Amino acid sequence: MGRQTEEPLFNRIEQARMARGLSRQDLADAVGVHYQTIGYLERGECSPSLASALRLSEELGLGVQDLFSVRPF
C-alpha cells in the first residue's frame, strides 16, 4: 500500500466509508488491501500508493482531491 509519510497527508476515508455504511473490511475487500491497512490510512499512519488512492476514491465516490489533502480539511 504505502509507507510512512514525512509530510502529513490528511484524508476523509473514515467519514466517506461510514457515510456509505461500509466496514473497514468491506472497503478493504473492494480495493484489494488488508482491513488493517484501511485503519492505518484513516489514522494517517501511512500514505496510499497512487493506485490505491485512485481505487479508494473510486470506491468511495469522491475525487482524489476530495479524499486526500496536504492541508487539514
Side-chain angles (χ1 to χ4, degrees):
M1 174 63 71
R3 61 175 192 240
Q4 281 203 288
T5 138
E6 295 177 22
E7 182 177 340
L9 182 65
F10 301 93
N11 71 76
R12 293 180 172 159
I13 298 171
E14 184 175 20
Q15 296 89 332
R17 175 180 61 76
M18 293 179 76
R20 284 156 185 75
L22 298 171
S23 69
R24 285 183 178 160
Q25 185 68 61
D26 294 334
L27 183 56
D29 290 345
V31 298
V33 299
H34 193 276
Y35 79 93
Q36 287 179 322
T37 301
I38 300 298
Y40 296 143
L41 292 168
E42 288 179 348
R43 292 187 299 273
E45 294 175 7
C46 68
S47 294
S49 66
L50 177 57
S52 293
L54 291 169
R55 285 194 301 270
L56 284 164
S57 69
E58 183 176 303
E59 187 63 35
L60 294 170
L62 294 172
V64 173
Q65 71 280 4
D66 296 322
L67 196 57
F68 299 97
S69 177
V70 294
R71 294 181 186 85
F73 287 99

